[in-house]
Amino acid sequence: MFGAVQFGLLAAGIVLFVPMGMAGWHLSRNKMLFFSCALFITLAVGVHLTPFFPSISNFLYKPYSISDSSLPTGTSSSSMIRDSCIYSLHSVVMYKSNYSECVNGAIDSNGDSGCKKMSWRWTQSGSVAECEFQKLKKPDVSVLLNGSWVVVAGDSQARLMVVSLLELVMGSEEIKKIRGDLFKRHSDYSTTVDEIGMKLDFMWAPYVQNLTNLMLEFKENKNYPDVILMGAGLWDMLHVNNASDYGVSLSVLKDSVLALLPVFRNIDSIDRGVSESAWIRSPHLFWLGMPVLINSMLNTEEKREKMDAVMCNAYDDEVSRTKLLRQSGGPLLKLDIRWLTDLCGPQCTADGMHYDGVIYDAAVQIMLNALLLESNQKPQ
């Protein structure tokens, strides 16, 4: 390297000073032409020498990597990297737990404590590995959700998401204490984790119309959660059993969600003493997909008759057709429970509809990593 630099300097001297000397001899009467030639030659030499000085090259052509937190989030490159990672969040594999991975005190799909039969992890392929997804622990989640208002709205699938999130934030022992209130059928549940100032509200909303009403209530009250996780479809499939009507309801829901974006709030200007509108950060919005329904395991004849594979596919098609999801240009990022339950299979469910905690644990971690990406943060 040192020899290359010496050679470059020698070449520069020859290229720069010999022509300048000759130009000075012949062009001494035309100073403007002399200095123009000198400037051109100096720039040419500079271009040839730049590769020999890495610090200069790095200054002019600064590289970036996916883990470079100094890259501004507003740049197109950063946005492309973030979007690529967001759409890789479901690149997971399920595998049987060994004894050391068995979590005592965990709550399964029936609300009972026990050992989790299956575990999960993100795949280690190149593009996914570069995203550096992590299973967040309580300290990281406490920082991420510190002072946040989280709303989870939906049916029993959404309630199981609340269980996994609170178990992560509060611990298994605390979950046991609130289990009775948390598993009251068809009821709301609210709690505040005083340690981090996080408020969590579960809203029993089994129909899409319930979700729409909730969005309209947020808009009317001008009071917006930081995170909204919602999902509905199973009750509609069982009690209405009309995919087209479900699609119409989803379109109305989409409009009500879009009405929340961007969020404005009236504030009082201290300097001018007047009320004005100011933009604040919009809620992080997630859609909880429906699980794989294993027809032969469903616990009533009505469910087995109405909730077959054809109807499940028709309901999923309506979610895609209405462009509710961010994957199709909509406002909500999907947590793909169907994909996760398909990976885990029949061994992870007792009734063909509600699955073991590993499914909802994985979905919660996917959601939390999405929040990290969207807020341009990394775990401590």
Side-chain angles (χ1 to χ4, degrees):
M1 178 64 186
F2 184 70
V5 173
Q6 286 182 319
F7 178 79
L9 292 174
L10 177 61
I14 295 174
V15 173
L16 178 62
F17 294 112
V18 172
M20 285 183 64
M22 295 176 65
W25 177 263
H26 293 287
L27 303 175
S28 57
R29 295 183 180 182
N30 192 332
K31 294 183 179 180
M32 182 63 70
L33 181 59
F34 171 76
F35 285 111
S36 297
C37 291
L39 179 61
F40 173 79
I41 294 170
T42 302
L43 291 174
V45 172
V47 169
H48 285 83
L49 282 179
T50 297
F52 296 102
F53 296 92
S55 59
I56 298 177
S57 299
N58 291 341
F59 176 76
L60 295 176
Y61 313 106
K62 185 177 180 181
Y64 67 87
S65 67
I66 199 166
S67 60
D68 185 2
S69 60
S70 65
L71 188 66
T73 56
T75 65
S76 59
S77 297
S78 177
S79 298
M80 290 175 62
I81 293 169
R82 182 192 62 194
D83 291 345
S84 174
C85 287
I86 283 178
Y87 295 130
S88 298
L89 279 166
H90 289 83
S91 300
V92 304
V93 293
M94 296 278 178
Y95 59 93
K96 289 185 177 181
S97 301
N98 57 41
Y99 181 79
S100 62
E101 292 171 324
C102 188
V103 183
N104 292 319
I107 295 177
D108 64 15
S109 59
N110 299 314
D112 298 323
S113 60
C115 179
K116 297 181 181 178
K117 300 183 290 290
M118 299 290 289
S119 294
W120 70 279
R121 61 173 174 79
W122 277 285
T123 59
Q124 299 302 311
S125 63
S127 58
V128 178
E130 288 181 0
C131 293
E132 299 181 345
F133 299 137
Q134 298 185 41
K135 290 186 180 182
L136 303 186
K137 304 296 185 183
K138 180 178 178 179
D140 293 321
V141 180
S142 298
V143 172
L144 180 63
L145 298 180
N146 183 44
S148 297
W149 178 21
V150 179
V151 169
V152 182
D155 52 24
S156 55
Q157 299 291 317
R159 193 186 299 273
L160 290 171
M161 288 290 290
V162 172
V163 173
S164 287
L165 179 58
L166 288 181
E167 184 179 11
L168 185 59
V169 174
M170 302 170 64
S172 300
E173 292 302 317
E174 290 298 318
I175 288 292
K176 290 179 182 179
K177 296 177 183 178
I178 63 175
R179 175 180 165 183
D181 292 332
L182 190 56
F183 280 96
K184 284 182 179 178
R185 288 171 57 84
H186 309 165
S187 63
D188 297 343
Y189 175 79
S190 297
T191 188
T192 299
V193 183
D194 294 329
E195 182 180 351
I196 60 173
M198 184 193 82
K199 179 184 178 183
L200 185 143
D201 289 321
F202 169 72
M203 308 291 190
W204 173 248
Y207 293 103
V208 174
Q209 181 61 51
N210 301 137
L211 300 176
T212 300
N213 292 340
L214 184 60
M215 298 304 107
L216 296 175
E217 183 180 332
F218 290 145
K219 183 70 174 178
E220 182 180 355
N221 295 335
K222 294 182 173 58
N223 193 19
Y224 308 98
D226 299 290
V227 179
I228 304 176
L229 168 61
M230 68 181 86
L234 293 176
W235 273 56
D236 193 288
M237 193 185 306
L238 178 62
H239 299 293
V240 180
N241 205 239
N242 189 312
S244 296
D245 287 350
Y246 179 67
V248 172
S249 297
L250 288 175
S251 295
V252 177
L253 172 63
K254 176 186 173 183
D255 292 340
S256 70
V257 172
L258 290 175
L260 299 180
L261 309 173
V263 174
F264 290 86
R265 177 178 294 167
N266 290 328
I267 61 171
D268 293 326
S269 173
I270 298 176
D271 296 333
R272 288 172 287 179
V274 296
S275 178
E276 60 182 17
S277 293
W279 181 85
I280 62 172
R281 179 170 53 82
S282 298
H284 297 280
L285 302 167
F286 297 91
W287 178 257
L288 186 64
M290 290 184 286
V292 170
L293 298 181
I294 303 176
N295 192 266
S296 62
M297 299 180 69
L298 298 178
N299 55 19
T300 69
E301 183 60 35
E302 184 183 15
K303 289 179 181 178
R304 289 190 291 272
E305 178 183 344
K306 293 182 176 180
M307 307 177 82
D308 58 14
V310 174
M311 189 57 68
C312 289
N313 290 334
Y315 269 65
D316 268 348
D317 289 343
E318 289 300 315
V319 176
S320 300
R321 185 189 63 79
T322 54
K323 300 187 184 303
L324 179 70
L325 305 178
R326 192 186 304 181
Q327 290 87 332
S328 55
L332 298 168
L333 182 64
K334 183 180 183 180
L335 300 182
D336 198 342
I337 299 298
R338 185 169 186 174
W339 166 252
L340 296 174
T341 51
D342 188 49
L343 287 177
C344 209
Q347 63 186 323
C348 293
T349 177
D351 63 4
M353 180 182 294
H354 304 96
Y355 283 74
D356 293 343
V358 63
I359 298 297
Y360 309 100
D361 292 347
V364 165
Q365 289 288 347
I366 288 171
M367 180 182 73
L368 295 174
N369 275 263
L371 291 174
L372 283 174
L373 288 168
E374 291 183 341
S375 57
N376 196 40
Q377 297 184 53
K378 281 186 172 293
Q380 298 297 321

